[in-house]
Amino acid sequence: MDETGSKRAFDVLDYTVFTCMLGVSALVGVYQAYKSRKSPDAVREYLVGGQTMSIFPISMSLIASYISGIAILGLPAEMYVYGTQLWAVVIADSFVSLTMVVVYLPVFYKLQITSSYKYLELRFNHVVRLMGSFIFIIKMLLYIPLVIYVPALAFNQVTGINLHMVALVVCAVCIYYTTLGGLKAVVWTDAIQTIVMFGGVIVVAILGTARVGGIAEVWKRNVDTGRIEFFNMNPNPTVRHTFWSVVVGNYLNWLATCSVNQAMVQRCLAMPNLKKSNITITIMAFGIISIVSLSCYTGIVIFAAFYECDPITTKQIRKPDQLLPYFVMELAQSIPGLPGLFVSGVFSAALSTMSTGLNSMSGVIYEDMIMPCLKTPVSNLAASRIMKALVVVMGSICVGLVFMVEKLSGLIQAGKSLSGITAGPLLGIFTLGMFFPVANSMGALIGGLVSLSFVAWISFGSQAAISTGQIVFPIKPVSVEGCPESLRNSATNLTIILENAIREQPFFLYKMSYLWYTWVGFLTVIIVGLIVSFITGRNIYKPEDKKLYTPIIHCFLRSKDNENSKDIELNKR
C-alpha cells in the first residue's frame, strides 16, 4: 500500500456493470408481469408462480434468498476478527436439508397451502395462525433493514456516496420488480443475481490469493496468528463460538430459517411435485455450502493480505464489515470493472433476500389477515392489487428501519441475534403441531408468546451489553508493523480502551452465545406448550388429521388408528 493510501475510484465501467445488474432485475419484473397478465388465478400466480416453475431458477432463488449480503460481507469480517470457527457452520447446513426433506416439507406439500401459517389454523386455530403470521412479519421487519444496510455500506465504501441515499435507490428497484412480477420475477432475478454473486466472490478470492502468494501462504499467515480453528470443543455456552454452538446451535437456526419459513414453502410449492422439490433442496444445500465456504476463505485471504498492516487499527476503515469492499478497492488498482462486479454481487445477494421477504410478507398479510376479514371474496384483479400495495408499504417501512441498523454490532452476530428472537418460537410452534398430537391450541399460543418474550429479552439485553462495552469478545491478533510511518502513528491501542471501559458484569443470560437463542426459544415453546396442553385438556387425535403430522411419527399414529377403530367396533356392539 502506498503511504498516501490512494486507491482507484469507482469509474464509468464500474457504474455501467452495476447499472446493468439493476436494469436487468427491473426488466425481468416487467417481463414476468406481462407474461402472467391473463392468469386465471392471480393470487396463486403471484405467490407460487402457478406451480409451473422449474428446478434451476427455484434452486438459485433459494440459495440467493438465504445467503444475503450479510453473509457476503459479514463472514469475511468474522474470519478476520475472530477466526475460522464459524466456518464449521457448513456441517449444520448439510443436516438441515436432510431434515427439511424428511420431516417438514412432506406435510406442507400434502396440504397444498400457499401460506405456511395456514397449517397452524388447520392444526390449532385461527388465533395461533395469526400469532405465527405476526411473528414472521416481525422477523422480516427486523431482518430486511440489515439486508438493505449491507450493500449500501459496501457501495458507500467504494464510492463515497451517502449510505442512506443508496439504500433508498436499492429498495426502489427491488420494490418495483417484486411488485410487478410476483414470485416469478423474484425467482428469475434471484437466479441471475446468484450467478453474479458467485462470480464476484470467486474473482475476489482468486485475485486475493494470487496477491498474497498462493493458498499455502494464506494458510500459513492465518495459522501463525491462531485464526485457524474448527474444533474448539469447550462446552461453555457463554463462549461466543465453539464447535457445539456453531454446529448444534446454528443447526436449529438454519432449520427454522429454511423449513417452516413462508419464503421456503412458497418456493417448494411452486414446483409441480414433491420429488422435484427435494432435488431443489439438495441443490440449495450444495450452493449454500459453496458460497459460505468461499466467503469464509475470502476472509482469511483478506487477513493474509493485511498481515502486517491492519486497516482497522490504522483507522483506514471504521468497522470490520468494511474490510471486503476496502480489499476490493485495493485489488482494483489494475483490474477494470472489479469494484462494479463486486458491488453488483453484494447488491444481488441483498436484493434477492429483500424481494423474497417482501413477496412472502405480502402473501402472509393478504391470506392470513386480510382475506379472513373480507365478507365477500374479491376479484383476482383486486387481490393482485392489494398484494402489490402491501409490497410497497412493507418495503417503505423497511427503508425507514435502516437507520437503526448502524447502531448494531457485527453483521453476522446482529443478524443471527435478531433472527433468533423469532426463529425459535416459530420452529417450536410448527414442531409442536407436527410431532405432538396431544398439543392443543392454548398450549401453542401461550408457548409461542412466552418463548418470543423470553428470547427477545435475552437478545436485546445482550445487544445493549455489547454496545455499552459490558460484553467484549476476545479477538485474534493483528499487526501494524508493516504500515507506513504515518499510519502507524495514527493507530490506537484499542485493547486498553476496551479494558478500561468495562465496569460491571452483565446478567448471566446476556453472556450466552447468540447461536443458542433459537434452541432456547424452540425448547421453551415445546415445554410450555405441552404443560399448558395437559393442564387445559390435551388434544384428541383423529385419524382424518393424519396429514397434519410429520411422516416421522406416522408409525405411532397407526396404533392410535387401530385403537380408535376397535373402540368404534365395541361401541357398535
Side-chain angles (χ1 to χ4, degrees):
M1 188 195 314
D2 64 59
E3 192 156 333
T4 62
S6 62
K7 300 179 189 64
R8 180 178 171 279
F10 210 71
D11 61 19
V12 175
L13 179 59
D14 298 316
Y15 279 110
T16 302
V17 172
F18 175 64
T19 304
C20 284
M21 186 275 293
L22 288 181
V24 168
S25 298
L27 286 173
V28 169
V30 174
Y31 174 70
Q32 293 297 342
Y34 177 78
K35 268 185 69 177
S36 58
R37 70 193 187 283
K38 295 181 180 179
S39 172
D41 188 346
V43 175
R44 203 160 190 82
E45 181 72 25
Y46 195 81
L47 296 180
V48 293
Q51 286 194 294
T52 57
M53 300 298 293
S54 57
I55 290 173
F56 172 75
I58 292 289
S59 301
M60 295 300 102
S61 177
L62 287 171
I63 294 168
S65 299
Y66 294 114
I67 299 297
S68 66
I70 294 174
I72 301 297
L73 286 187
L75 284 171
E78 172 70 31
M79 301 298 112
Y80 187 104
V81 177
Y82 298 108
T84 62
Q85 183 60 72
L86 189 63
W87 199 338
V89 76
V90 295
I91 301 172
D93 295 345
S94 307
F95 288 102
V96 164
S97 301
L98 180 63
T99 308
M100 288 166 58
V101 168
V102 173
V103 177
Y104 294 96
L105 195 54
V107 178
F108 290 121
Y109 215 91
K110 284 179 184 175
L111 295 172
Q112 285 294 299
I113 46 183
T114 51
S115 167
S116 58
Y117 306 103
K118 174 70 174 174
Y119 169 82
L120 297 180
E121 181 172 5
L122 296 173
R123 173 62 179 85
F124 297 115
N125 60 25
H126 185 65
V127 177
V128 177
R129 176 183 181 176
L130 273 178
M131 179 182 68
S133 302
F134 274 117
I135 292 175
F136 170 74
I137 292 166
I138 292 169
K139 172 187 172 70
M140 298 314 296
L141 289 178
L142 289 173
Y143 187 62
I144 289 178
L146 259 177
V147 171
I148 301 167
Y149 173 76
V150 168
L153 182 72
F155 200 76
N156 170 258
Q157 177 68 25
V158 298
T159 66
I161 296 176
N162 180 272
L163 187 148
H164 297 105
M165 188 176 77
V166 175
L168 189 62
V169 173
V170 178
C171 292
V173 173
C174 186
I175 291 168
Y176 176 74
Y177 74 73
T178 307
T179 303
L180 278 181
L183 183 76
K184 283 186 176 178
V186 171
V187 164
W188 279 108
T189 50
D190 284 356
I192 296 166
Q193 290 159 1
T194 301
I195 295 168
V196 175
M197 178 173 67
F198 267 95
V201 175
I202 289 169
V203 168
V204 172
I206 291 172
L207 293 175
T209 303
R211 169 179 162 163
V212 172
I215 295 175
E217 185 62 23
V218 168
W219 196 259
K220 179 181 179 299
R221 292 183 181 186
N222 281 271
V223 169
D224 289 346
T225 54
R227 275 174 170 74
I228 305 302
E229 179 182 41
F230 294 106
F231 298 102
N232 178 353
M233 309 307 279
N234 189 340
N236 186 349
T238 66
V239 177
R240 183 173 179 269
H241 285 163
T242 66
F243 178 84
W244 306 114
S245 62
V246 169
V247 176
V248 180
N250 200 64
Y251 161 77
L252 214 63
N253 190 289
W254 263 107
L255 186 62
T257 301
C258 296
S259 61
V260 300
N261 192 303
Q262 168 68 10
M264 178 72 205
V265 174
Q266 271 184 243
R267 276 152 185 70
C268 288
L269 289 180
M271 304 299 293
N273 55 58
L274 184 58
K275 183 180 178 181
K276 287 191 174 181
S277 291
N278 291 341
I279 294 171
T280 300
I281 298 301
T282 305
I283 296 172
M284 178 195 78
F286 282 109
I288 288 176
I289 290 170
S290 300
I291 194 70
V292 166
S293 295
L294 277 167
S295 295
C296 290
Y297 175 72
T298 302
I300 65 173
V301 167
I302 294 172
F303 173 74
F306 297 130
Y307 180 60
E308 292 185 323
C309 187
D310 174 43
I312 306 170
T313 306
T314 53
K315 299 181 181 179
Q316 294 172 83
I317 56 175
R318 292 182 295 110
K319 302 172 73 173
D321 303 320
Q322 294 174 309
L323 277 164
L324 182 55
Y326 177 81
F327 181 58
V328 168
M329 294 309 288
E330 287 279 302
L331 289 175
Q333 298 283 358
S334 58
I335 304 163
L338 179 62
L341 177 64
F342 162 72
V343 170
S344 297
V346 177
F347 266 89
S348 293
L351 283 168
S352 60
T353 306
M354 183 181 178
S355 61
T356 297
L358 293 178
N359 182 254
S360 301
M361 277 197 291
S362 70
V364 166
I365 294 171
Y366 176 74
E367 293 222 330
D368 297 354
M369 300 175 186
I370 295 177
M371 270 185 65
C373 298
L374 298 174
K375 293 180 180 178
T376 56
V378 297
S379 65
N380 268 335
L381 181 61
S384 178
R385 285 176 175 171
I386 291 171
M387 284 187 289
K388 289 176 181 179
L390 288 170
V391 169
V392 175
V393 171
M394 301 311 291
S396 302
I397 293 171
C398 290
V399 175
L401 293 173
V402 171
F403 292 92
M404 78 172 189
V405 173
E406 290 181 285
K407 309 298 180 185
L408 299 176
S409 59
L411 292 177
I412 292 291
Q413 172 143 351
K416 287 193 178 290
S417 295
L418 292 175
S419 69
I421 296 173
T422 55
L426 273 179
L427 183 63
I429 294 168
F430 278 96
T431 305
L432 186 70
M434 291 185 187
F435 277 85
F436 300 95
V438 296
N440 64 20
S441 56
M442 187 61 70
L445 184 64
I446 295 177
L449 292 173
V450 170
S451 174
L452 184 68
S453 305
F454 184 45
V455 181
W457 168 56
I458 296 173
S459 180
F460 288 128
S462 175
Q463 282 294 316
I466 292 169
S467 65
T468 57
Q470 283 185 295
I471 296 177
V472 178
F473 302 108
I475 61 176
K476 300 298 182 183
V478 294
S479 171
V480 294
E481 292 303 313
C483 292
E485 186 67 30
S486 60
L487 291 176
R488 279 207 306 271
N489 292 337
S490 69
T492 305
N493 192 333
L494 299 177
T495 306
I496 294 174
I497 294 173
L498 291 174
E499 285 175 354
N500 291 338
I502 300 172
R503 290 287 182 270
E504 60 185 76
Q505 288 295 310
F507 185 62
F508 76 98
L509 282 178
Y510 297 164
K511 294 191 289 182
M512 178 176 60
S513 171
Y514 66 96
L515 292 174
W516 292 114
Y517 290 175
T518 307
W519 274 100
V520 171
F522 174 80
L523 292 175
T524 300
V525 172
I526 301 296
I527 294 168
V528 173
L530 289 175
I531 291 172
V532 172
S533 295
F534 278 106
I535 292 173
T536 58
R538 62 181 191 166
N539 179 61
I540 305 300
Y541 167 72
K542 302 181 187 67
E544 60 267 24
D545 292 336
K546 190 173 183 177
K547 62 185 177 181
L548 296 173
Y549 302 102
T550 177
I552 298 293
I553 67 164
H554 281 184
C555 57
F556 301 106
L557 297 178
R558 288 196 193 101
S559 60
K560 288 179 176 286
D561 291 347
N562 294 335
E563 287 173 14
N564 289 337
S565 61
K566 287 178 183 177
D567 290 341
I568 293 169
E569 287 296 322
L570 288 171
N571 289 334
K572 285 181 179 178
R573 292 175 187 172

